[in-house]
Amino acid sequence: MEVSPFAGIVHEGRLYGRGASDMKAGVAAFIAAACNVRADEPRFHRGLTLVITAGEETGCEGAFHVGREQVLGPAELLIVAEPTSNAPIFAHKGSLRVIVTARGRTAHSSMPEEGQNAVARAAAWIHALGTHDFGVRHPLLGTTTACVTTFRGGENINSVPDWAEFSVDIRTLPEQDHGRLLNALRTLFGPDAEIRVVTSFPGFSTAVEDPAAAPLLALLHERTGLAAEPAGAPYFTDASALVPAFDNVATVVIGPGEAAQCHKTDEHCRVDRIEEAQALYTDLIRRLCIDEAGG
């Protein structure tokens, strides 16, 4: 079915539209849950904050801005409504994106010994990166990965290239310090490599047994009759900015969207999952925030 990406059409139990899964369905479920609870006029013994920011796809600009403004303070539990099909994600990777530049000396390609080939130098660094062991492992996230995503170099086909650069997206583990990782890259490539950081987002990891997550896990068990299976995700979310902004709060990523639908043509989200998320968020707010005497 082809529909307008902005129509918000519901068809055969699915809501279609750009961002339906990633993550407007999650935002809508949270707003509806907060409104439902507030309409009951209860007494809150703990505050509730909805944080809705822009720019997550391009670098979490909105979330990092909120953090820099220092307006959030402490919290008991942070829920990030990214698409997980309503399954709990207790950890996700960070991202360190860099551009690496190699310099050389140009010469005629018929006399390569007269020059220094920057493309060849950069290619050797890429090969070294591909076989590098980052030396750490996470129980939910596995290992650090490094992906070379772009490459540019040289001016024409008959000259030794005196310049080349490539970009790398390194998906890091929560315990990895990005400054130390940059030093490891400098050691791996050698002193001739020029390394420029493009973006640096930390990961997060919350222990499954953290007491702050217990109410959420209990609610999931009550709904399914099964113990929730905690998992990790290889991508990053606004949690990279919001976890430190909330004083390293316990965090779970859980939302109604489907990860496989992100950024796709005719993106959709199952309506029943949106309803499930709204009910889950509503009960979680009541359990965490409402005074028993007034709820």
Side-chain angles (χ1 to χ4, degrees):
M1 182 185 72
E2 292 186 5
V3 298
S4 166
F6 309 110
I9 290 175
V10 176
H11 178 70
E12 295 182 348
R14 293 181 174 90
L15 171 65
Y16 287 84
R18 177 63 67 195
S21 267
D22 185 24
M23 55 177 274
K24 292 175 183 175
V27 171
F30 247 133
I31 292 175
C35 290
N36 289 344
V37 174
R38 189 68 186 90
D40 295 336
E41 298 184 355
R43 282 212 310 264
F44 282 78
H45 72 82
R46 178 181 288 124
L48 172 68
T49 301
L50 298 186
V51 183
I52 303 173
T53 61
E56 186 264 350
E57 296 288 355
T58 54
C60 304
E61 290 95 341
F64 277 113
H65 173 76
V66 170
R68 286 192 298 270
E69 292 296 308
Q70 298 182 337
V71 296
L72 297 178
E76 179 77 10
L77 178 67
L78 170 64
I79 299 293
V80 180
E82 287 279 1
T84 70
S85 300
N86 290 333
I89 299 293
F90 275 77
H92 72 51
K93 289 186 174 181
S95 173
L96 175 63
R97 293 169 174 164
V98 299
I99 292 177
V100 183
T101 302
R103 306 290 179 182
R105 185 174 66 249
T106 191
H108 197 281
S109 58
S110 66
M111 297 174 285
E113 69 280 1
E114 296 295 323
Q116 292 179 347
N117 194 315
V119 166
R121 176 173 288 177
W125 295 343
I126 291 172
H127 176 74
L129 182 64
T131 58
H132 181 66
D133 182 1
F134 289 92
V136 288
R137 189 172 185 86
H138 188 278
L140 296 180
L141 300 174
T143 60
T144 303
T145 61
C147 182
V148 176
T149 51
T150 65
F151 189 100
R152 298 188 301 159
E155 296 295 335
N156 50 58
I157 200 168
N158 63 336
S159 297
V160 174
D162 63 354
W163 167 87
E165 74 173 22
F166 59 94
S167 60
V168 187
D169 188 352
I170 305 172
R171 297 302 169 119
T172 62
L173 303 182
E175 63 267 31
Q176 285 183 295
D177 180 89
H178 287 189
R180 292 182 179 178
L181 187 54
L182 281 170
N183 289 335
L185 290 180
R186 294 186 180 102
T187 300
L188 180 66
F189 297 151
D192 292 332
E194 301 173 15
I195 302 175
R196 176 169 63 89
V197 176
V198 180
T199 55
S200 178
F201 309 133
F204 89 92
S205 182
T206 294
V208 178
E209 61 273 15
D210 192 305
L216 173 65
L217 293 177
L219 285 169
L220 291 172
H221 183 265
E222 291 168 13
R223 281 163 168 71
T224 64
L226 301 172
E229 195 67 36
Y235 51 76
F236 67 84
T237 72
D238 275 332
S240 293
L242 294 178
V243 169
F246 275 115
D247 293 343
N248 295 314
V249 63
T251 300
V252 180
V253 180
I254 183 168
E258 299 175 37
Q261 283 296 314
C262 298
H263 305 188
K264 283 192 173 180
T265 301
D266 290 345
E267 180 181 345
H268 63 259
C269 182
R270 283 171 41 180
V271 173
D272 63 335
R273 286 216 172 110
I274 302 174
E275 294 169 343
E276 289 172 3
Q278 177 185 336
L280 176 66
Y281 299 156
T282 298
D283 287 349
L284 185 62
I285 293 168
R286 288 187 175 129
R287 192 161 294 191
L288 287 175
C289 302
I290 305 303
D291 186 351
E292 291 182 0

